[in-house]
Amino acid sequence: MKQLESKNMIIIKPQKGWVGINLKELFSYRELFYIFAWRDIKVRYKQTIIGITWAILQPFLLMVVFSVFFGNLAKMPSDGVPYPIFVFSGLLFWNYFSVSLTGASDALVANENVVKKIYFPRLLLPLSSTITPLIDFALALVILIGLMIYFHFTPTITGIILFPFLILLSFLSAAGLGSLLAAINVRYRDIRYALPFFIQTLFFLTPVIYPTTLIGEKYQWLLALNPMTGIIETARTGIIGDKEIDFVLLGISAVIAVSLFVFGIFYFRKTERVFADLA
């Protein structure tokens, strides 16, 4: 009898030091990942009148407001491109990044009851919060395609090939930084209050409403440190096709996105063993 009990017993021990991602364990909990992702989708538009239509309406209204105030009134330059398509190509990726980062950073605290009661790979929570905004991204992409048809723009072949890669880089940036902030948020709840300010500030440090040419060459390197700069600039160039893609800038963004992901995940895994006590 004792031998049978010992065979069916699973002993979970906290891991110390820097530990990597246990892909085998994550895969074994894939059904729970689907449940978390589906729950996030349902909760986001629960008790709304127009439901998931908000995923299209929000970026569209933002594009209209920015086009009126920055494009028409402030005369913000857009490198000769119609301002609506210029700003929407930036909003598409920025909205995905900001929504994913906000959701991932709060994933552990928002699910503290689950974290305290059962064991599962905690990494599922920030990752599922980063995956679900891709549905909003796909719906908003329909508006961008409509704008391209309206303004007679055809994406370049290179732009089409790089588009999935840009989505991957956006995911790595949001998931890495989100996992890092989620782990810190468990211990220090200041993150919840500081994050909105951080995202608003980062928005103005990202070339969403203005071109990078507006910033002097002396400070271009500062923009390059923001991974969303290379992502948005490459997407915009691929869509509009008016100039060559800056692969150096894209390479810098790729290195920073991967570094954020690796550091964020490893810090999350390092501190994971205390989440249930602090959440």
Side-chain angles (χ1 to χ4, degrees), residues 74-122:
K75 303 297 181 185
M76 183 71 74
S78 57
D79 289 342
V81 177
Y83 198 79
I85 194 170
F86 174 87
V87 75
F88 196 86
S89 58
L91 279 173
L92 183 68
F93 283 90
W94 172 258
N95 283 348
Y96 166 72
F97 174 77
S98 61
V99 171
S100 299
L101 180 59
T102 303
S105 302
D106 199 43
L108 289 173
V109 175
N111 293 279
E112 60 178 306
N113 290 332
V114 183
V115 172
K116 288 178 178 177
K117 290 177 181 176
I118 61 172
Y119 173 78
F120 62 93
R122 309 308 194 212

Side-chain angles (χ1 to χ4, degrees), residues 176-191:
L177 189 56
S179 299
L180 173 66
L181 294 178
I184 299 174
N185 194 25
V186 172
R187 189 181 296 271
Y188 305 105
R189 301 301 165 87
D190 308 69
I191 295 296

Side-chain angles (χ1 to χ4, degrees), residues 103-147:
S105 302
D106 199 43
L108 289 173
V109 175
N111 293 279
E112 60 178 306
N113 290 332
V114 183
V115 172
K116 288 178 178 177
K117 290 177 181 176
I118 61 172
Y119 173 78
F120 62 93
R122 309 308 194 212
L123 198 55
L124 291 179
L125 288 170
L127 290 183
S128 63
S129 299
T130 314
I131 289 293
T132 50
L134 283 175
I135 295 176
D136 293 357
F137 181 93
L139 292 172
L141 185 61
V142 176
I143 298 180
L144 180 62
I145 294 172
L147 288 171

Side-chain angles (χ1 to χ4, degrees), residues 130-171:
T130 314
I131 289 293
T132 50
L134 283 175
I135 295 176
D136 293 357
F137 181 93
L139 292 172
L141 185 61
V142 176
I143 298 180
L144 180 62
I145 294 172
L147 288 171
M148 292 171 67
I149 295 173
Y150 181 79
F151 288 106
H152 305 291
F153 278 96
T154 303
T156 63
I157 299 298
T158 308
I160 294 173
I161 294 173
L162 286 176
F163 204 77
F165 181 63
L166 300 178
I167 297 174
L168 176 63
L169 291 183
S170 302
F171 166 77

